[in-house]
Every structure is written in C-alpha cells, then in structure tokens.
Amino acid sequence: MVGPVRPLFVLFGSSIVQISFCNGGWGAILSEIYARKEAEIQPSLVIVYFGGNDSTGPHSSGRGPHVPLPEYIENMKKIGTYLKSLSDKTRVIFLTCPPINEAKVRISSVYFSELVRTNELCRTYSAALMELCKELGINAIDLFTVIQKREDWQEACLIEDGIHLSAEGSKIVAEEILKVIKEAEWEPSLHWKSIATEYSEDSPYDLVAADGERTLNPSAWTYYRETQWE
C-alpha cells in the first residue's frame, strides 16, 4: 500500500546541518514536529546553511575553507536562484552563520594551522547574506543576531568547540524556522498545525477517558515535548 504523501523538507549545508539531528538538534526537532503530517499536494521546503566555514580567514597556504565574501555571495545567489526555479511550490529559507565563542575557538585552534575565526567575520558574512536574501525575495534568518539575544549565549548555545550549536542553541534555530513558516504567506501553508495529521481518526481502541464513556484520540498530543512549539 502506498502511504500518504508528506511534505518534503530538505536541509542543505555544512556541519551545522550535519549534526542537527544529534543531541536535541534543530533538524531532529523539526522531524518530530512534522511527524505524521500529510498533504494531498506535496509542498516542499529547502533550508540552506553555509557561511561558518566560508567566513574563516584565509590561510597563508591558499588551502582551507575560506571563501572571499564576493565569491560567497555569488555562490549563495546561484543556490537561491536555482532552488527558486525548481517549482512554484518550492519554498526556501536561508540561515546565516551563528556567532562563535572566540575564547573556546582559540583553545580548539591548537588542532589547526592558522585558524582565523572571529565574530566580526561572522557578522560581515551574515549581514551580506541577509542583504542578498532581501534582493532575491528569499526568507532568511539572521542567526548571528537572534542567538546573541540570549544573555548567556556563549556558554548555553554552543558546544565545547565554540562553533557548533548546543541543544539550547538548536531550540532557538527551530523556533525561528517555525516562526518563518507560520508567518509566510505560502499556499498551501507549511505550518505544522495547518497540515492534516496522518491516521488521526477516532478509534474505539484508543485509551478510555476517566468518565468511562469516551475514548481519547492521541494523534494530536504534544504533552511530551519539552517545548510547546508554535
């Protein structure tokens, strides 16, 4: 039997995306929120993250992940333009690079040669990406700014390498993504509350309520979530 068609979300990017399914990461959060959600017409969303490695300062050898700012913006423009051309139902969200804990980055730098990673570089690349997204009409989330709204962000939102997101940092990312999805005027909407729940019919085999008269349909229960997402 062929199951219902579900919205397809694609997460595309570097290690911030790669580990987003680990340890309470934002990818895992989104997967859980959208579990059992279906749609007759399959809309899709591509979430793109590049910038943290690109904004690393250049290495004297010419090697390393550094991408000059103009080239980085041109690359992101090509990605955004391509994704928008796929379908009139393809939605795109770009994420800027988050801030870093420079003190912890300096400690981890002993493993690398001439690792130059600063918040000023992150800020510059993030601001340029936000400007590009405005030009292209692409939804964008300025992680560099929103994460720093939390007073203890340097310790709470990043893991020990000072670069990658902790579970607390991922909660901020997930919340911002859900906010964009909720507020976007997309047809059909991709907001999780607006998407039908798979196999949500009442059943006599559901748990019986305290009054002994009704059964309780568990398909929309979210009590087990640490955060009640909007």
Side-chain angles (χ1 to χ4, degrees):
M1 182 178 74
V2 178
V5 178
R6 299 181 181 179
L8 174 63
F9 287 16
V10 176
L11 310 185
F12 177 48
S14 57
S15 57
I16 291 286
V17 171
Q18 178 184 339
I19 65 175
S20 69
F21 288 88
C22 300
N23 304 321
W26 58 274
I29 291 171
L30 292 176
S31 292
E32 190 280 317
I33 291 173
Y34 280 88
R36 295 180 59 188
K37 294 298 181 181
E38 60 173 308
E40 292 181 3
I41 300 175
Q42 181 176 333
S44 62
L45 171 66
V46 182
I47 301 174
V48 180
Y49 168 80
F50 289 105
N53 292 325
D54 306 72
S55 62
T56 301
H59 191 274
S60 59
S61 68
R63 300 187 180 94
H66 169 71
V67 178
L69 183 58
E71 184 178 342
Y72 165 72
I73 290 301
E74 184 60 28
N75 289 341
M76 298 303 286
K77 184 175 183 178
K78 289 177 180 177
I79 291 171
T81 302
Y82 172 74
L83 292 174
K84 288 186 66 177
S85 73
L86 293 178
S87 162
D88 59 2
K89 298 296 184 184
T90 300
R91 314 303 183 185
V92 183
I93 298 175
F94 275 11
L95 309 178
T96 77
C97 53
I100 62 171
N101 183 321
E102 292 186 5
K104 288 186 175 180
V105 170
R106 282 194 293 271
I107 293 173
S108 65
S109 293
V110 298
Y111 300 103
F112 305 100
S113 170
E114 298 179 44
L115 177 62
V116 179
R117 201 156 192 168
T118 68
N119 276 316
E120 179 55 26
L121 286 170
C122 291
R123 184 198 65 77
T124 301
Y125 278 63
S126 295
L129 181 59
M130 292 299 293
E131 187 63 30
L132 173 68
C133 289
K134 184 178 179 180
E135 173 190 325
L136 297 180
I138 291 177
N139 289 281
I141 299 172
D142 184 359
L143 296 184
F144 183 79
T145 298
V146 297
I147 286 179
Q148 292 187 77
K149 290 181 179 179
R150 178 165 171 162
E151 188 174 344
D152 62 346
W153 67 269
Q154 294 203 55
E155 295 300 325
C157 296
L158 302 168
I159 64 174
E160 284 305 304
D161 64 9
I163 295 171
H164 293 97
L165 298 167
S166 66
E168 289 300 308
S170 279
K171 286 179 184 178
I172 295 174
V173 178
E175 182 178 11
E176 292 297 320
I177 290 172
L178 291 171
K179 186 186 302 182
V180 169
I181 294 173
K182 182 178 182 179
E183 295 176 356
E185 296 180 355
W186 294 337
E187 292 294 341
S189 173
L190 288 176
H191 185 235
W192 67 277
K193 289 184 178 180
S194 71
I195 300 176
T197 299
E198 181 179 318
Y199 308 124
S200 61
E201 301 82 4
D202 291 335
S203 168
Y205 298 102
D206 288 336
L207 294 170
V208 180
D211 61 14
E213 300 294 327
R214 300 170 296 121
T215 56
L216 299 175
N217 188 329
S219 63
W221 290 355
T222 62
Y223 71 88
Y224 51 85
R225 291 177 180 163
E226 182 181 351
T227 302
Q228 292 301 309
W229 303 101
E230 287 299 321

